[in-house]
Amino acid sequence: MELMVLLNALVTRLLFVLHSLIGVWRVTAVKKEPKYWLLALLNLLLCLETGLTLKFKQGRGYKWFSPAIFLYLICIVPSLWLLEIHHGTQYCGNEPGAVQVNVSNQDFNQSRDSSHGSEGTDHHIIQTAKVFVNQLSTICETVWTLALHQTFLLLLVVGRWLLPIGVEITRDQLSQLLLMFVGTAADILEFASETLDIEDVRKNYALINAILAVWTWSMLQFPLDLAVQHIGCKSSATARRIPSLLLCRYSAELWNIGVSLFIQDGPFFIVRSILMGHFRIFNQMLVFFTAKNILVVTLQLYRLAVITLDFRATVLQKSRKGEVCCCPCEPYEARAHATGHQENEMKEFVAFPPKEESQAPSEDH
């Protein structure tokens, strides 16, 4: 096992565990109940996955799916749910500038006292750490929740970058996937922060749960790598199976369209339409992002129609020329199997000449 592969696999999963533990700590501090520390047990799943990956895959990733990212979602999402639901009854009354001034003054005074009264460097480090933790606890709860959301999405992108890739995905495909994740993460963060910050939404727990459910559903696209990988065609895929050939040729494009329509922009558009149509909630940003979702959904449907028409035209053109329509990603054996009956007829014609020609030389002899 390569040293860098092992190091990347362990460091990335360690970052996931530390971030999920910070989320559990914030839930325990907000709820004032130690029983919420039981959420930290979810990290045992990530530890188990780490051991299995190191043993069976030598630290490298899997094809089309990342178990580490999926288990990280399981570890951190419940904490964010609890913080957002509790956020409905807790509002920040301090100004950001005042909080920063108080924190800096307290840090200076306590650090100075600890430097005079401590007997060693170790004691000074411990006192500084305690002061730092106490200062973090004084930060407004809304700032904490937003910071956890932001670091969560950033860590998803950085973690996917640091995780060792498998043999099925190239670095070019990984770079494309990371660029897509950056745009997706920005849209998801905007959706959660923009809708949950509306005052009328905060008064309705059913709306909060619905928005969080759609937000959780949109996060499920991060463990998947189908957006940049093509599904290989089987040898049984022939011209009679048009859907199989379409999926073979445009697998990555179709997956991107499906994600946009059913996982991200489609559900976001439905939620925002319900907020404006049923609950009569209007603001400038809500209207703008609703129009953006409509535009994206329309363009994705247009892209789907273009792909379908282009594939249909290709099939008709090949059928008129008498060619067998095979997917370019099919192996050569599959194409030979699709046209095997034509080749057999040609071989029989060459191997067995007409009967009259074969008997003519024998009569002369």
Side-chain angles (χ1 to χ4, degrees):
M1 186 185 302
E2 299 179 2
L3 180 60
M4 288 302 300
V5 173
L6 176 62
L7 185 62
N8 289 337
L10 293 178
V11 169
T12 305
R13 288 168 173 84
L14 180 60
L15 291 176
F16 290 164
V17 171
L18 291 178
H19 189 263
S20 63
L21 290 178
I22 292 175
V24 174
W25 168 63
R26 288 311 306 165
V27 172
T28 307
V30 168
K31 295 290 187 179
K32 308 296 183 182
E33 295 183 11
K35 66 179 181 180
Y36 287 101
W37 279 110
L38 295 175
L39 292 173
L41 297 177
L42 294 174
N43 293 283
L44 295 178
L45 297 174
L46 192 57
C47 296
L48 178 61
E49 183 272 337
T50 303
L52 295 177
T53 302
L54 293 178
K55 181 178 180 179
F56 296 103
K57 298 288 291 184
Q58 287 75 42
R60 296 193 176 275
Y62 295 81
K63 184 178 182 180
W64 299 339
F65 184 72
S66 176
I69 298 238
F70 180 73
L71 293 176
Y72 173 52
L73 294 178
I74 294 178
C75 295
I76 189 63
V77 166
S79 300
L80 294 176
W81 266 71
L82 293 173
L83 290 175
E84 288 292 353
I85 292 175
H86 185 268
H87 178 83
T89 58
Q90 297 291 328
Y91 292 94
C92 182
N94 297 327
E95 296 180 359
V99 173
Q100 294 177 359
V101 172
N102 293 334
V103 169
S104 60
N105 291 336
Q106 185 180 4
D107 186 13
F108 175 76
N109 294 331
Q110 293 190 7
S111 300
R112 184 181 58 185
D113 295 338
S114 61
S115 62
H116 289 290
S118 62
E119 297 179 357
T121 306
D122 296 337
H123 182 69
H124 174 68
I125 294 175
I126 294 175
Q127 292 296 328
T128 305
K130 290 181 179 180
V131 171
F132 180 71
V133 172
N134 292 331
Q135 290 171 358
L136 290 179
S137 301
T138 60
I139 298 177
C140 178
E141 187 57 38
T142 56
V143 177
W144 258 111
T145 304
L146 180 60
L148 284 175
H149 272 284
Q150 294 171 342
T151 53
F152 167 49
L153 293 171
L154 289 176
L155 193 57
L156 280 175
V157 180
V158 176
R160 188 63 187 88
W161 191 6
L162 294 178
L163 283 174
I165 60 177
V167 296
E168 295 84 3
I169 183 173
T170 63
R171 296 194 177 276
D172 178 65
Q173 293 175 339
L174 179 62
S175 62
Q176 296 177 18
L177 186 67
L178 294 175
L179 289 174
M180 293 173 57
F181 279 178
V182 170
T184 300
D187 290 340
I188 292 175
L189 178 62
E190 175 275 322
F191 170 76
S193 60
E194 181 261 332
T195 53
L196 292 175
D197 285 344
I198 300 175
E199 184 177 356
D200 294 335
V201 173
R202 284 294 175 187
K203 298 177 182 178
N204 193 329
Y205 286 98
L207 273 180
I208 295 176
N209 292 327
I211 292 173
L212 290 176
V214 174
W215 170 77
T216 305
W217 171 251
S218 65
M219 302 301 300
L220 296 179
Q221 58 185 301
F222 286 97
L224 299 174
D225 299 338
L226 292 174
V228 294
Q229 297 190 45
H230 290 276
I231 301 176
C233 293
K234 299 181 180 179
S235 59
S236 60
T238 59
R240 296 181 180 179
R241 298 184 178 182
I242 301 301
S244 299
L245 295 178
L246 180 62
L247 181 62
C248 168
R249 181 174 297 182
Y250 301 103
S251 59
E253 290 83 355
L254 293 176
W255 172 250
N256 288 328
I257 295 173
V259 166
S260 179
L261 294 179
F262 300 107
I263 298 182
Q264 186 171 337
D265 290 286
F268 290 178
F269 167 69
I270 293 175
V271 171
R272 287 171 172 140
S273 299
I274 293 175
L275 291 179
M276 293 190 301
H278 185 269
F279 293 95
R280 302 299 178 183
I281 299 175
F282 294 95
N283 59 53
Q284 185 177 1
M285 298 304 296
L286 184 62
V287 173
F288 170 77
F289 285 110
T290 304
K292 174 203 166 188
N293 293 139
I294 295 175
L295 182 60
V296 172
V297 169
T298 305
L299 291 177
Q300 293 291 356
L301 293 175
Y302 175 73
R303 173 62 178 166
L304 180 61
V306 169
I307 290 175
T308 305
L309 293 176
D310 178 71
F311 180 76
R312 180 185 178 186
T314 304
V315 172
L316 293 177
Q317 183 180 4
K318 289 182 177 295
S319 63
R320 291 174 181 175
K321 294 180 179 180
E323 300 177 0
V324 180
C325 180
C326 293
C327 181
C329 58
E330 282 189 21
Y332 176 76
E333 293 78 9
R335 302 185 183 183
H337 177 74
T339 59
H341 63 284
Q342 298 179 359
E343 295 179 358
N344 291 334
E345 292 179 357
M346 294 297 296
K347 290 180 181 179
E348 291 177 358
F349 178 78
V350 175
F352 299 99
K355 185 176 181 180
E356 293 75 7
E357 296 179 359
S358 62
Q359 293 178 354
S362 62
E363 293 177 355
D364 296 339
H365 177 71

